[in-house]
Amino acid sequence: MSVSQENINLWIQQSDIDYISHFIKAWIPFNAWYNSNFSSLNSDREKISAIKSQPNSVRNGINSLMESDSQEGQEFRSYLSALYFQLQQNQIDGRDRRIWFENALREKNPVNLIENREIGHNKYYLKRTDGTYLCEVTEMKVILKRRNDNQTIFHYTHTEYDLQHLQSYTDFQSLSNTRKEQIRLLFQELEPIKIDTLLENNRSESPINYYQCDSYTLRRDAANTSCYAIYVVKALIEILYQLRNVLFHGELVPNNGAQKVYKEAYFVLKMILEKIR
């Protein structure tokens, strides 16, 4: 009895592993772990931030895997490299940005106020008011005054941090080029998010400041004796959390590219789970 190609193809499809579902199964115990260990915190975001910033078994486990030359350590770094690669090759978008390692090291800018900074004959006041979520700005205020008599020359408020909106504002365009440039520079000082890189482009051997993960050279903080892999921890935990969010919120397009991403995310998360057994 001959077998049709269509039937063969159907069985090939049946042999495929749904790594998106496997990622969900792996996330459930991880979710339970951080709810138990950070029960005093209210939101998932606060708990994810605590994993990054405080000593705990997940952070310590990732650090030990990155530091180890054992087969387990090499396997973890290989999965991490594969996840890095797949997120470069397959675009997955979250609510406010693309999910990939290029912007995973994102921290809220602690500087939100420039109070009456005197430059030349002018005084500049800028204030950024942040919302609840990372990147959320509820008000951006810019005030320019003359230094000698404190008279207001320019006043601007907006409900977002948006340099293009500021530069298109009619009153801003009427300012001198010097004043416009100075406001632009100060405005950028208050950018709500600071993005750092995970890649190490200036390798050092003494002390060693990098991890070689297949073709990727990732940063190692040789000065951070409690967690040399702190940059990897922060970036990886953020990536896994963002992948969880886009999936649980129903925003993910479950195509072949997404399966490739979640395959590597699952393997990474599964190895992390072994550290909290």
Side-chain angles (χ1 to χ4, degrees):
M1 177 181 177
S2 63
V3 179
S4 69
Q5 184 61 46
E6 180 183 6
N7 198 49
I8 293 171
N9 292 340
L10 287 172
W11 278 110
I12 291 174
Q13 290 175 15
Q14 291 296 315
S15 71
D16 292 339
I17 297 174
D18 181 7
Y19 283 104
I20 294 175
S21 296
H22 276 59
F23 178 84
I24 294 173
K25 292 177 182 178
W27 186 268
I28 291 171
F30 183 63
N31 196 107
W33 172 83
Y34 68 64
N35 279 337
S36 174
N37 282 266
F38 300 101
S39 57
S40 63
L41 301 178
N42 296 320
S43 66
D44 279 350
R45 168 51 70 186
E46 289 177 314
K47 294 167 187 177
I48 290 298
S49 296
I51 295 172
K52 298 177 187 179
S53 61
Q54 300 175 19
N56 58 80
S57 54
V58 165
R59 196 176 87 160
N60 295 343
I62 295 173
N63 186 69
S64 67
L65 288 166
M66 293 301 295
E67 289 288 309
S68 175
D69 286 330
S70 66
Q71 182 176 349
E72 183 187 33
Q74 293 176 34
E75 185 179 16
F76 182 79
R77 290 191 294 276
S78 184
Y79 286 139
L80 177 60
S81 171
L83 177 58
Y84 200 123
F85 175 78
Q86 290 300 339
L87 283 167
Q88 284 182 313
Q89 298 299 307
N90 302 286
Q91 182 165 339
I92 296 180
D93 293 317
R95 290 191 171 182
D96 64 341
R97 69 188 188 276
R98 179 176 177 176
I99 301 172
W100 60 344
F101 282 94
E102 275 73 358
N103 63 14
L105 283 175
R106 300 184 349 140
E107 303 285 346
K108 180 179 287 188
N109 183 0
V111 179
N112 64 358
L113 176 65
I114 296 173
E115 190 167 15
N116 296 327
R117 186 178 298 180
E118 297 183 356
I119 302 173
H121 299 293
N122 306 299
K123 288 197 301 184
Y124 297 86
Y125 175 94
L126 293 87
K127 183 179 181 181
R128 186 194 76 240
T129 302
D130 295 321
T132 304
Y133 305 106
L134 196 67
C135 280
E136 184 184 11
V137 174
T138 58
E139 184 182 61
M140 190 68 204
K141 181 178 290 186
V142 180
I143 300 174
L144 169 61
K145 295 183 177 182
R146 276 204 297 258
R147 186 176 174 183
N148 59 351
D149 59 7
N150 211 39
Q151 181 178 345
T152 299
I153 302 168
F154 174 74
H155 187 281
Y156 167 86
T157 59
H158 189 46
T159 54
E160 298 178 14
Y161 178 91
D162 188 338
L163 180 58
Q164 186 174 355
H165 182 273
L166 169 66
Q167 291 175 322
S168 65
Y169 191 55
T170 303
D171 289 349
F172 179 84
Q173 293 176 351
S174 66
L175 295 172
S176 69
N177 289 335
T178 300
R179 285 171 170 166
K180 284 191 287 189
E181 178 63 10
Q182 191 57 62
I183 289 175
R184 184 188 68 80
L185 293 172
L186 295 176
F187 197 88
Q188 290 179 325
E189 284 187 31
L190 298 190
E191 188 173 4
I193 298 298
K194 296 294 185 182
I195 300 177
D196 207 351
T197 179
L198 183 59
L199 299 177
E200 180 55 66
N201 297 317
N202 299 302
R203 293 189 298 179
S204 170
E205 302 297 332
S206 183
I208 189 165
N209 68 344
Y210 68 95
Y211 297 106
Q212 195 63 50
C213 301
D214 295 339
S215 61
Y216 297 100
T217 305
L218 307 184
R219 293 172 67 188
R220 178 181 186 269
D221 188 354
N224 191 336
T225 55
S226 65
C227 186
Y228 295 116
I230 188 63
Y231 297 119
V232 173
V233 169
K234 288 182 176 181
L236 178 56
I237 293 299
E238 184 62 29
I239 287 290
L240 293 175
Y241 181 57
Q242 290 298 324
L243 288 174
R244 173 264 186 206
N245 287 347
V246 75
L247 175 58
F248 283 22
H249 296 159
E251 298 163 344
L252 179 72
V253 179
N255 54 26
N256 188 52
Q259 286 287 351
K260 291 179 180 179
V261 168
Y262 280 87
K263 173 184 177 181
E264 307 306 337
Y266 163 73
F267 284 131
V268 168
L269 183 54
K270 191 71 172 68
M271 293 193 74
I272 293 172
L273 291 179
E274 295 300 317
K275 299 299 181 181
I276 61 174
R277 279 187 180 275

